[in-house]
């Protein structure tokens, strides 16, 4: 090791000598960041280095004041800056920290608008900067493998291509504010059940085609500065210190130069953490309550003795510190460059939250064009459902946000209606532990609906609260759902209300699909609102009353019933004896439903509009490097402005391995005035046609015919063309 240091000094002195030689006096050469890091590392003691690679409080790592290196400060979460935890584990409820509560990941992705991804990241980054955070612990991008995963809301989609496009803007938006994004949870953290112990088993092709691409895009296209290792194991080894996933795939193959931060308590072994890629250990539970002795972490003092005894090389520690310092320089935590100020709870942030929410809402069904409602024709409106008046932001687990305010659907509806319209509210069901059917509340709700000109029922999941986490009928971290049925007797409520008022609008809130087979056929209008954030109620009301033309599209398949979902039909969930086999392999979501011809309730990419769109003239031409240029014209053939997400799917007509019936490989959202049309031109690189050959361990293009399909959803294909590659 001495050799290494000497060698380094030789370089540095030659460089300096060169300077002195040509200028006579050593000018201050603008050293590169790497050279600055080199010199910091040579000045740091081993103890100082080790203090930087593990937590010294709930959300910070150690400083080296002597060298001007501050603590590194982190905060949740993916859709808003979490309440202030300070150095402890009980966050402050003080209003001074109430923040902008953005729509959750699934809602952002439902916009299919990468530009809004950037806007989202910019807001989150500005608020994190303002709150003095150096790292914001988001985006969460785990694949929505099962409808039961308690954290689906926090993620984006079942499709890796959509994730790859939506994650990039988010990361750049955050990082342009001098805050590091932290893409998570790497990887295959697709269930909360046994999340700390389960080992995920999947084929290499499944890894490469489904579970890795979102993270690869975050690193290569998004330039993400940090990444969070997942709790679970992968092929028997903990993800957070994983020789294949982190050393080989992430740092070698993908060239990730940032820092791998463990999930809180995800480090289990000192030597593995040191050798297999953990750069920062956070949240290890030493069961010492708030008074944790952080030096006892796996990557704490033990490391000092391991280096001093020669068991491990100090170069391992240097690389970790280098990665942290690299991010600190990039975000102006050190280096002396002026740092962005950030901003908090501004009107612009709240306007962005509304815009994203408006574009996130998905119109699933609209029989007889029941929607939009014409508010000038209404005298009284019934609003039903506990979710109509419930604030959701504070729930969900670590992604919780204490919102500056949160407009509930009921408040949103009251706000957009004219003064003279009477609004009657009926809760319809109770959100309490194991609550069942409440016949009194159902009767009250039916009464309200019967006597109203319009009736809007807001149902769905709720963002779990700590006290309710154990009752796993909620969208929350650390628990999965028991099934896909709506809890609290909501099915009975919906049926009772539809019986007396069949024109009731059903609005579903939540992070993913519900089993609606008990009432869907009786409902004329159904809206999926996700968790649309602090302005969600406003957005829902503006869609219902036509001030906004909905343009959201589903980012995950809504199965009719749980057993139709591939993870449950052919895969394993939640696994047994702490192993879960992803037997469905690449057949995740619509890849399964379309290939195996299983009818979904609502398909991936589905979302209706108040206007209509015509697809014309799909053309395919060959481009460079075996790419294909697809052009298609989309026209607004209705009477009002609207936005359409044109989706491009690819199918390999004949292949030596089983390939999905279609795979999303391009999309574009276009905003069109009535009668207006736009020619969309998308280049499908050769990657769009390849599959991962796990024998050759490389991506392979098998020559032959391919179909390219342009559609309004995975099941609403408007035009198809074939091309020979
Ligand atoms: C949690 C979550 C992770 C979060 C971290 C810090 O357990 O899994 O997403 O960022 O711990 O709260």
């Amino acid at each position: 090791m001495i050799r290494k240091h000497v060698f380094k000094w030789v370089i540095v002195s030659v460089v300096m000598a060169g300077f002195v030689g040509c200028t006579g006096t050593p000018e201050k050469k603008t050293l590169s960041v790497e050279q600055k890091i080199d010199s910091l590392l040579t000045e740091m003691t081993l103890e100082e280095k080790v203090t930087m690679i593990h937590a010294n409080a709930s959300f910070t790592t150690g400083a080296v004041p002597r060298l001007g290196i501050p603590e590194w400060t982190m905060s949740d979460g993916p859709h808003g800056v979490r309440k202030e935890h300070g150095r402890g584990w009980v966050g402050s409820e003080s209003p001074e920290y109430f923040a902008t509560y953005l729509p959750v990941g699934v809602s952002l992705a439902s916009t299919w608008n990468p530009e809004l991804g950037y806007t989202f990241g910019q807001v989150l980054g500005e608020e994190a900067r303002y709150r003095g955070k150096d790292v914001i612990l988001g985006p969460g991008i785990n694949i929505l493998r099962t409808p039961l995963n308690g954290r689906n809301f926090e993620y984006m989609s079942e499709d890796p291509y959509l994730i790859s496009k939506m994650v990039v803007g988010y990361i750049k938006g955050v990082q342009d504010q001098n805050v590091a994004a932290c893409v998570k949870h790497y990887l295959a953290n697709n269930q909360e059940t046994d999340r700390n112990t389960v080992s995920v088993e999947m084929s290499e092709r499944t890894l490469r085609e489904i579970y890795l691409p979102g993270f690869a895009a975050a690193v290569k296209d998004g330039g993400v500065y940090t990444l969070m290792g997942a709790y679970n194991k992968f092929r028997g080894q903990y993800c957070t210190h994983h020789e294949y996933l982190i050393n080989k795939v992430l740092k070698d193959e993908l060239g990730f130069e940032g820092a791998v931060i463990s999930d809180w308590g995800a480090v289990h072994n000192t030597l593995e953490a040191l050798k297999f890629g953990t750069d920062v250990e956070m949240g290890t539970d030493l069961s010492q309550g708030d008074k944790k002795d952080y030096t006892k972490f796996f990557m704490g003092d033990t490391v000092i003795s391991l280096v001093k005894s020669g068991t491990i090389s100090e170069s391992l520690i240097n690389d970790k510190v280098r990665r942290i310092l690299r991010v600190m320089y990039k975000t102006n935590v050190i280096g002396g460059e002026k740092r962005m100020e950030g901003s908090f709870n501004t009107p612009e942030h709240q306007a962005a939250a509304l815009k994203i929410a408006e574009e996130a809402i998905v119109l699933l069904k609209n029989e007889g064009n029941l929607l939009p409602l014409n508010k000038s024709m209404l005298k009284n409106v019934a609003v039903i459902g506990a979710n109509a008046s419930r604030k959701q932001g504070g729930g969900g687990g670590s992604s919780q946000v204490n919102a500056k305010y949160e407009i509930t659907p009921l408040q949103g509806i009251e706000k957009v209606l004219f003064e003279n319209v009477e609004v009657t509210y009926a809760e319809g069901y109770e959100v309490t532990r194991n609550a069942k059917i409440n016949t009194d509340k159902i009767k009250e709700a039916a009464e309200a609906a019967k006597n109203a000109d319009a009736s809007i029922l807001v149902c769905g999941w709720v963002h779990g609260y700590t006290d309710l986490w154990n009752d796993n009928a909620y969208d929350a971290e650390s628990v999965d759902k028991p099934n896909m049925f709506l809890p609290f007797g909501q099915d009975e409520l919906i049926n009772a209300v539809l019986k007396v008022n069949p024109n009731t609008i059903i609005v579903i809130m939540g992070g993913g699909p519900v089993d609606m087979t008990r009432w869907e056929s009786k409902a004329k209008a159904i809206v999926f609102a996700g968790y649309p954030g602090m302005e969600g109620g406003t957005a829902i009301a503006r869609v219902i009353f036509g001030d906004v033309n909905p343009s959201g599209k589903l980012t995950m398949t809504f199965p009719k019933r749980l057993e139709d979902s591939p993870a449950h039909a052919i895969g394993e969930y939640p696994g047994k004896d702490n192993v879960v086999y992803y037997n469905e392999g690449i057949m995740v979501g619509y890849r399964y439903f379309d290939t195996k011809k299983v009818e979904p309730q609502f398909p991936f990419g589905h979302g209706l509009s108040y206007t209509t769109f015509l697809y014309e003239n799909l053309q395919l031409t060959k481009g460079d490097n075996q790419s294909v240029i697809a052009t298609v014209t989309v026209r607004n053939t209705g009477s009002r402005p609207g936005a359409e997400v044109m989706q491009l799917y690819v199918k390999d007509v004949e292949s030596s391995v089983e390939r999905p019936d279609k795979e999303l490989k391009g999309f574009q959202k276009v905003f069109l005035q009535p009668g207006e049309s736009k020619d969309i031109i998308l280049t499908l690189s050769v990657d769009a046609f390849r599959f991962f050959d796990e024998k050759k361990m490389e991506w392979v293009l098998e020559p032959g015919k391919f179909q390219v399909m342009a559609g309004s959803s995975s099941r609403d294909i408007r035009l198809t063309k074939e091309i020979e590659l």
Side-chain angles (χ1 to χ4, degrees), residues 382-389 410 413 424-429 441-442 444-450 455-459 493 497 504-505 507:
V383 177
I384 296 160
N387 260 358
S389 63
L410 174 61
I413 291 164
T424 309
Y425 173 63
E427 192 178 32
Y429 61 95
K441 286 184 178 292
I442 289 178
E444 180 199 24
E447 198 57 31
K450 192 167 68 179
S455 160
I456 301 160
L457 192 158
V458 186
C459 62
L493 167 69
V497 168
T504 297
I505 317 296
V507 179

Side-chain angles (χ1 to χ4, degrees), residues 16 68 86 94 248 285 312 351 376 446 451 501 535 547 613 619:
M16 295 316 288
S94 163
K248 168 95 177 49
D285 177 14
I312 53 142
S376 62
N451 305 323
N501 187 334
E535 283 288 353
D547 302 317
F613 297 100
Q619 297 292 332

Side-chain angles (χ1 to χ4, degrees), residues 58-59 75-78 82 89 137-138 151 154-155 184-185 189 192 195 228 231 262-265 398-399 477:
S58 53
F59 285 91
S75 168
D76 290 308
R82 193 177 183 185
W89 289 96
L137 302 169
R151 292 183 87 169
E154 222 180 310
Y155 303 147
K184 68 188 187 181
H185 306 86
N189 180 184
E192 290 300 289
R195 69 174 178 169
M228 187 184 291
Y231 280 125
S262 79
D263 200 339
W264 268 238
S398 62
S399 64
E477 178 177 346

Side-chain angles (χ1 to χ4, degrees), residues 304-323:
I304 296 166
S305 42
L306 286 171
V307 171
K308 289 191 168 160
S309 64
T311 311
I312 53 142
S313 151
E314 186 163 354
S315 64
L316 272 181
I317 315 307
N318 291 346
D319 179 60
K320 299 177 195 300
V321 175
R322 174 183 297 281
R323 289 170 176 275

